[in-house]
Amino acid sequence: MQAITDVLLGFFTWINETITGNFALTIILFAVLFRLVCLPLDFYSRKGQRDFAIKTRALQPEIDAITKAYQHDPQKQQQKIMELRRKNGLGMMPKGCLSQLLVYPLLIAFFAVFRNMAALQIKELSDFVTQYGVNSPQVSQWFSDNRFLWIQNIWMPDNLFTTADVPVIRVIPFVNFSSAILPQGQSVEAMMSVIKNTSAFAGQDFSAAVASISANMQLLAEAGHNNGHNGLMILPLLSGALQLLSMKITTKLSPQPAADPANPQAASSNKMTKIMNIVFPILFVFICFSSSSALAIYWITSSAVMLGFNVLIAKFLDYRDRKKEQKVGAATK
């Protein structure tokens, strides 16, 4: 994981220095490039799901006939339906599902990557304070590079309040929201612990280094760099809304397979999908509330681009199916 972090950080730094001049813009550019790289896999997966649904619906009358004919013999019923599926080249799962297994591990890895990047960037800020002072051009440039729209520091959450501000949230274990522009107190040690064994602390006493970073964050706060809130809570709420919209539009664009008594897993999968349509938006709101804004920027950009690609893929497949129907109609005349 650290090797991936080092490669991405080097890549982000290069783009930041040579193209964008701002880490948030660098993350947006990287998210777009990543979705472009994954586009062939997304297309193959969507095509497989669509073809699976269309074939299932085409066979539904025959499946219904078999179900009625063998309603008193469930074992024979399932056997006949399986034979029908095999005869028509219809498997139990859509083609392309496994291709997504190549994408999702990378998406999950980014959660750890941005956590590590946040720690490394705060360490860099502390080093600037130690070398040049709190009011140096290097410190001002750091805040300029890590500011984005209403967010003062993309490596801290886009929040208007901390956990302590809301009594109901304060008593919930493992929930720790922060509206600070810079990490303070124990949050510094928690942030630095993720890169404890990296080259950033090579030859240093970790506890002493963290104490120095905490002291530098305090100096920055006293100089006015930690006044106000880091954000307006827009990114967490936007991430949940976009996730909900994406699921609804993707479901609407994709033909849904009919119920299949020979494939009870499909019914279970559909039920799970409905549950995930509720749980996922809430989950991503929580993650973006408690994680860095950089992660939220990446996820929102990636989700928006992927939604756009899904719409384009659906329209292309609609066009393909219409052309097929026209050819079949012309051949039968």
Side-chain angles (χ1 to χ4, degrees):
M1 184 63 69
Q2 189 57 46
I4 296 176
T5 303
D6 292 341
V7 170
L8 286 176
L9 184 59
F11 181 62
F12 286 154
T13 302
W14 178 80
I15 295 179
N16 183 71
E17 293 176 351
T18 59
I19 301 177
T20 64
N22 181 277
F23 271 109
L25 296 178
T26 301
I27 292 169
I28 291 172
L29 179 58
F30 177 83
V32 173
L33 292 175
F34 179 72
R35 291 314 324 175
L36 282 171
V37 171
C38 294
L39 182 57
L41 294 176
D42 290 337
F43 177 82
Y44 183 61
S45 175
R46 294 297 173 190
K47 179 178 178 296
Q49 292 174 12
R50 185 185 185 89
D51 292 345
F52 181 84
I54 291 174
K55 286 183 178 181
T56 301
R57 287 199 176 278
L59 291 178
Q60 193 58 43
E62 295 180 66
I63 292 176
D64 291 341
I66 293 173
T67 302
K68 184 177 180 179
Y70 297 96
Q71 58 183 323
H72 300 299
D73 190 349
Q75 186 174 355
K76 189 71 172 181
Q77 178 190 98
Q78 186 169 348
Q79 179 184 343
K80 288 294 184 179
I81 292 177
M82 291 298 297
E83 291 175 357
L84 177 65
R85 295 175 70 95
R86 284 195 294 268
K87 180 181 177 181
N88 289 272
L90 185 62
M92 299 301 292
M93 295 292 291
K95 293 180 179 179
C97 287
L98 294 180
S99 66
Q100 292 301 306
L101 296 178
L102 301 175
V103 177
Y104 286 120
L106 289 175
L107 294 178
I108 294 172
F110 280 123
F111 284 85
V113 167
F114 282 109
R115 181 187 61 180
N116 291 6
M117 287 179 63
L120 290 168
Q121 287 302 304
I122 294 300
K123 174 71 165 53
E124 180 183 72
L125 175 61
S126 176
D127 291 342
F128 285 158
V129 173
T130 299
Q131 296 177 41
Y132 308 111
V134 293
N135 296 314
S136 65
Q138 289 81 0
V139 168
S140 298
Q141 186 61 46
W142 186 94
F143 278 101
S144 177
D145 289 345
N146 294 281
R147 183 179 291 114
F148 181 65
L149 299 178
W150 63 89
I151 303 167
Q152 303 301 310
N153 175 11
I154 65 169
W155 306 111
M156 293 293 287
D158 175 15
N159 281 346
L160 266 173
F161 59 86
T162 63
T163 305
D165 295 331
V166 185
V168 175
I169 297 178
R170 186 173 56 205
V171 300
I172 302 176
F174 311 115
V175 176
N176 184 22
F177 299 154
S178 173
S179 64
I181 299 172
L182 295 169
Q184 298 289 314
Q186 292 182 346
S187 62
V188 174
E189 184 172 358
M191 181 176 283
M192 292 303 115
S193 65
V194 303
I195 57 169
K196 180 177 181 179
N197 298 318
T198 67
S199 58
F201 291 105
Q204 301 182 57
D205 177 76
F206 176 73
S207 298
V210 170
S212 175
I213 294 171
S214 295
N216 285 334
M217 294 302 105
Q218 183 61 35
L219 290 175
L220 287 168
E222 293 172 357
H225 290 290
N226 206 28
N227 293 337
H229 299 292
N230 188 54
L232 301 173
M233 296 194 301
I234 295 175
L235 290 182
L237 297 177
L238 182 59
S239 68
L242 185 59
Q243 188 70 22
L244 181 62
L245 178 65
S246 178
M247 288 179 168
K248 286 186 175 296
I249 291 180
T250 301
T251 301
K252 186 177 180 180
L253 291 172
S254 303
Q256 300 301 306
D260 186 347
N263 188 9
Q265 292 86 355
S268 177
S269 177
N270 290 336
K271 184 178 180 180
M272 182 60 65
T273 299
K274 292 180 180 179
I275 294 175
M276 290 298 100
N277 285 346
I278 299 174
V279 173
F280 269 25
I282 297 174
L283 175 64
F284 281 107
V285 168
F286 172 77
I287 290 174
C288 292
F289 262 130
S290 55
S291 302
S292 70
S293 299
L295 176 61
I297 292 169
Y298 170 80
W299 185 256
I300 289 171
T301 303
S302 179
S303 298
V305 172
M306 185 167 61
L307 177 58
F309 283 160
N310 285 341
V311 172
L312 292 177
I313 290 171
K315 289 185 177 297
F316 173 80
L317 293 175
D318 284 340
Y319 172 79
R320 179 204 65 171
D321 293 342
R322 286 197 301 269
K323 286 294 183 181
K324 285 184 178 180
E325 290 174 1
Q326 290 172 3
K327 287 182 179 181
V328 172
T332 56
K333 289 182 179 180

